[in-house]
Amino acid sequence: MVDGKTGLAALGLTEGPLESAEPEEYAAQVGARVAAARKQRHMSGTELGEIIGLRKDQISKIESGRRRLDIAELPRVASALGVTVRHLLGQAERPALAVAARLAAGTPSEALRPARRRARQLLEIEDLLTQVTEMPPAGASADGTRVVEQARARFGTLPRSKSAAQRQGRELAELTRHELDLGSGALGDVAALVEQNFAVDVALSPLGTEADGLCVHCGTSALILASSDFPDGHLRFTLAHELGHHLLNDPGEIIEETARDMFADTARELRANAFAGHFLMPERGVRSVLEWLGEQPGRIGDRSAVALMEHFGVSMAALVYQLNIIGTLSYDDGQKLRSRGVMSLIRQHQDVAPSGAAATVKHIRRAPERLTRRALEAAREQRLGLSAISSLLERDDDEQLWNEIMADHSQVVASTGIVL
Amino acid sequence: MTHRSSEPAASARPMVWFPDTSALVTLAVHPPLQRAVAATLSAYDLVLVESVVAELEGLAGTPDAAAAWAGTALGQLDWLGAPVRVDDPAGTQLAVEIQELIAGGRPLSHDMQHYGEAAIISLASRAQRLQPLMLCDDYDARVAAKNRNVEPFSGSYSSLKERGRVKGGVSWGFAG
C-alpha cells in the first residue's frame, strides 16, 4: 500500500483521467451541492444536522469542503435532502432515481408509507435494469398514443363544475374504449390492458387497506401501484382511477390515494372517478346486461346488482356509484343495496356470481411485466444478481427462486462458474 | 496491500486477491477454513479494502444473526495487512453505483451494507494491469464482479478447489 493515497494510487498504479479530480476540490464540490439542496428545501444547517446526527458546525464544514462527507453519511444526507447520492456526487442524474429520491423524502402519513416504499423500490429496479440491460423506456401502442394525445388536447384544463368534470371523465372513457376497440363489454385484466397501451408500468402489492395506491407520472410514462389487500373489484376501480389521472395529465408528479383522496369532492377526483366508472362499466354494456336479466331501469334488484358486479368485476360501491350516475338506480336505493352486505348478497345469488371474484381479496403480487421480463433475462444471463429480481417479485426464498430462474440454463452457470 | 508473492506469475498480470465482507464472515465461522485460506492466499498479493472493515463494523452493530461473526472477523484481519482506502472521487462514484446494483432494490440493513464488495469491485475493475480476484460469498456481488472483469470466488473450500485455485503443493491443513 502507498501510504496516504487512495484508490488506484494506493495500489501504486498510475491514475487515469477519471481519477484526476483532487479529493479536496471534490469535497468542496460535494459540499456545495449539499448546501444548495439544503437551501432549496428551506432547511437550516441545524435541522439537517439533527436528521443525520451531526452538529451544525460539522454541516458547515461539509458544505465548505473542509470536512469530507464519509461514504456512510452520504445516503443519509441524500435522503434527508430528497436528492440522490448520485446528485451529491455530481454524477448525471437519472430520472427514475430522482423520482425515487423524492418519494423517499418528506414525511408521508403512515397510511401512505408502504405504497411509497414499494414505488421507490420499483423505480430503483427500473433504473438498474436500464443501466444493466439498456432497457428502453416503456412504449405505448399506437391506439394508446392516440388516446393520450386526444385526452391532453381536449381535457387539458381542469373543469370548473362537477357536472363538467363528470362529463369529461365519461367522454374520456368513451374515447378510450373506442380507440382501443373495446366495445361496451367487461374488461378482462385491467393491469395488462393499461400496460399494453399506455407506457404505464402497473404493480399490485398487499399494501394494507389504509391507502388505495398511487400514480407516479412524468411526461408520457408512469407507474401505477395499487393495494391488493382490497377486494378485486375495488382494486380494478383504483387502477382505472389512476389511469384516468395519468391520461388527463393531472398535476403532481406523485398522486397518492387514500379513500378520502379518491372520493374527495373535487373536480380532479370526480373526473377520474367518472372515467373509471364509465371505463369499467359503460352505460350501453350495463343496460345490455340489465336487459338480459329482464330488469326495468330504475328497479334493480339484489340479484341483478350481484350479476352486474360479477360481470364487470367491480365492487358494490363502484357499481352503485355508476348506476346512480347513469340514472338506473336512485341514491336511496343504492344505499339500501349497500347496507345489505356484499358477501351476504353474493351467497344468496351464487347462480349469477359463481366466482364472487369482485368481492374476493386476493393479496396479489404483480410486478410490471416489462421489468419482470427484462429482469428474468438478465438474471439468467448472470448480468444481474438475485436481489433485483427477488425485490421485484417480492420473494425472499432466494434458493428456490434461483432454481426456478436457472432451470434449463445450466449452460450459463457452467460458462461463468457462478453458482448461488 | 501486502506483497508476499514470490511465486512465478501465471500470466503477465500479477494476481491480487481482494477478500470481501461476506467471505471474511464465512471464514470467521469456520476457523480451520480461515487458517487454510489465509495460509494459501498469503502466498499472493492481498488487498484489504477499508470499506470492508467499515462494513464489518456496520454489520457487527446490527441485530443480524451474522453480527457476532462480523465481530470475530474484525479480530482476524492481521494477515491481510493495512487497509486500502477507496474514497477517491472516481472510486466512490463507481462504488455507490455498484452498491445500488448489488442491493437490487432491497432496503439496506445498514448504510454500509454491500459497500465493501462495491468498493472492491470499483477498485479492482480499474486495476486491470493486475489480475484481480475477489473472494466473496455474496452471489449478487460475484455476478457484479464477473461483469466488470474481476474474477470472483466463493470463500468455501469446495468452490476454490473445483475451480482450480487449490493445486498440488498447497497445503490446506485438512482433507478436501
Side-chain angles (χ1 to χ4, degrees):
Chain A
M1 188 179 80
V2 180
D3 288 341
K5 297 282 186 183
T6 180
L8 288 180
L11 299 183
L13 298 174
T14 311
E15 301 204 342
L18 273 174
E19 281 72 38
S20 60
E22 288 296 328
E24 294 75 19
E25 184 190 328
Y26 189 64
Q29 290 167 354
V30 172
R33 288 186 206 103
V34 171
R38 177 178 63 74
K39 285 170 189 160
Q40 196 170 13
R41 289 188 77 83
H42 306 292
M43 193 184 276
S44 71
T46 307
E47 287 167 334
L48 176 59
E50 279 170 5
I51 297 172
I52 60 175
L54 292 177
R55 294 189 312 272
K56 184 188 171 187
D57 63 301
Q58 290 175 303
I59 298 293
S60 173
K61 282 180 182 167
I62 288 167
E63 291 185 352
S64 61
R66 285 174 292 148
R67 178 189 185 283
R68 192 187 296 190
L69 201 50
D70 187 80
I71 189 65
E73 295 166 339
L74 266 170
R76 270 179 285 153
V77 175
S79 172
L81 296 172
V83 296
T84 58
V85 169
R86 172 173 289 278
H87 171 81
L88 293 182
L89 295 178
Q91 292 168 286
E93 197 63 281
R94 300 204 294 249
L97 277 189
V99 178
R102 289 194 283 276
L103 269 168
T107 48
S109 71
E110 201 60 47
L112 296 168
R113 216 161 274 168
R116 275 199 181 201
R117 204 163 32 230
R118 180 63 177 151
R120 181 187 175 192
Q121 188 176 48
L122 290 167
L123 289 167
E124 286 175 352
I125 294 168
E126 180 191 4
D127 176 75
L128 271 186
L129 291 169
T130 304
Q131 300 312 309
V132 173
T133 72
E134 295 172 355
M135 180 177 69
S141 69
D143 297 338
T145 302
R146 278 198 302 277
V147 172
V148 172
E149 286 169 357
Q150 291 183 63
R152 294 182 184 182
R154 284 172 58 184
F155 311 118
T157 312
L158 203 59
R160 293 191 174 177
S161 68
K162 291 177 187 175
S163 59
Q166 283 171 342
R167 193 173 57 248
Q168 283 193 6
R170 177 178 185 147
E171 284 175 19
L172 177 59
E174 288 171 352
L175 164 71
T176 306
R177 277 197 169 252
H178 174 74
E179 289 293 351
L180 302 188
D181 200 16
L182 296 172
S184 59
L187 301 181
D189 184 345
V190 177
L193 180 72
V194 172
E195 285 192 340
Q196 278 169 35
N197 290 289
F198 297 114
V200 173
D201 289 323
V202 179
L204 311 176
S205 283
L207 300 167
T209 53
E210 295 292 314
D212 297 89
L214 57 75
C215 171
V216 180
H217 67 163
C218 35
T220 53
S221 64
L223 165 69
I224 290 175
L225 172 63
S227 175
S228 58
D229 282 336
F230 288 103
D232 205 45
H234 182 114
L235 179 57
R236 287 161 59 86
F237 192 87
T238 303
L239 291 178
H241 177 98
E242 300 307 322
L243 175 64
H245 280 314
H246 173 61
L247 295 178
L248 292 158
N249 203 20
D250 279 339
E253 180 182 56
I254 303 161
I255 299 173
E256 295 173 295
E257 309 280 10
T258 61
R260 195 180 57 193
D261 297 322
M262 255 177 83
F263 293 97
D265 198 22
T266 63
R268 189 175 91 156
E269 296 305 326
L270 285 169
R271 186 167 68 165
N273 280 333
F275 168 78
H278 288 286
F279 187 53
L280 294 171
M281 299 165 274
E283 181 171 353
R284 190 160 162 240
V286 171
R287 291 189 187 281
S288 169
V289 174
L290 289 174
E291 192 179 322
W292 164 63
L293 292 164
E295 288 280 17
Q296 298 298 313
R299 288 172 50 88
I300 294 176
D302 295 355
R303 184 166 180 274
S304 297
V306 170
L308 284 166
M309 275 179 69
E310 173 86 0
H311 184 84
F312 289 104
V314 294
S315 67
M316 181 63 85
L319 177 69
V320 166
Y321 173 85
Q322 181 66 357
L323 294 177
N324 185 238
I325 294 280
I326 62 178
T328 51
L329 186 70
S330 71
Y331 178 82
D332 289 342
D333 286 346
Q335 293 310 304
K336 281 180 202 158
L337 197 55
R338 289 186 68 180
S339 70
R340 285 202 269 281
V342 177
M343 295 316 294
S344 156
L345 287 175
I346 289 177
R347 273 194 297 274
Q348 281 175 44
H349 303 288
Q350 278 181 349
D351 61 321
V352 288
S355 78
T360 307
V361 180
K362 295 180 182 165
H363 309 293
I364 297 165
R365 293 179 194 274
R366 179 198 195 276
E369 172 60 20
R370 179 177 74 105
L371 306 189
T372 304
R373 195 174 58 246
R374 193 54 81 112
L376 282 169
E377 283 170 13
R380 284 179 183 135
E381 292 163 5
Q382 295 198 318
R383 282 184 290 153
L384 193 67
L386 268 186
S387 291
I389 197 153
S390 55
S391 307
L392 186 60
L393 302 178
E394 300 183 89
R395 300 231 339 223
D396 53 12
D397 53 341
D398 281 9
E399 287 188 24
Q400 176 64 25
L401 181 60
W402 197 80
N403 289 336
E404 289 171 21
I405 292 171
M406 288 304 181
D408 304 325
H409 286 76
S410 54
Q411 75 284 1
V412 175
V413 179
S415 70
T416 63
I418 307 175
V419 293
L420 189 63
Chain B
M1 179 166 67
T2 56
H3 296 279
R4 295 174 191 163
S5 176
S6 56
E7 288 193 355
S11 72
R13 297 182 300 154
M15 290 199 316
V16 181
W17 283 90
F18 295 80
D20 92 329
T21 315
S22 57
L24 293 174
V25 170
T26 300
L27 298 182
V29 174
H30 200 304
L33 182 63
Q34 194 272 342
R35 286 192 293 275
V37 169
T40 302
L41 297 194
S42 293
Y44 301 92
D45 285 343
L46 292 163
V47 175
L48 173 63
V49 167
E50 196 176 64
S51 309
V52 170
V53 182
E55 190 183 344
L56 282 171
E57 288 168 349
L59 178 58
T62 66
D64 194 287
W69 298 118
T72 306
L74 283 166
Q76 295 177 337
L77 301 177
D78 288 352
W79 64 288
L80 295 166
V84 166
R85 280 165 43 208
V86 189
D87 58 356
D88 57 308
T92 304
Q93 291 186 347
L94 185 54
V96 166
E97 201 156 296
I98 295 167
Q99 185 189 29
E100 287 167 359
L101 178 71
I102 299 172
R106 276 181 171 164
L108 300 179
S109 62
H110 57 95
D111 287 335
M112 290 303 286
Q113 192 183 11
H114 302 306
Y115 197 78
E117 297 99 311
I120 287 174
I121 299 168
S122 162
L123 180 62
S125 64
R126 292 177 296 146
Q128 291 297 315
R129 279 166 48 194
L130 309 172
Q131 187 187 346
L133 308 163
M134 182 168 78
L135 192 65
C136 171
D137 279 344
D138 181 312
Y139 173 79
D140 286 33
R142 292 204 301 276
V143 169
K146 187 78 183 177
N147 286 311
R148 284 174 172 74
N149 300 315
V150 178
E151 197 172 355
F153 289 88
S154 165
S156 76
Y157 171 74
S158 59
S159 164
L160 288 165
K161 187 177 179 190
E162 277 169 17
R163 298 181 58 202
R165 289 296 156 187
V166 186
K167 292 180 179 167
V170 176
S171 168
W172 281 78
F174 63 98

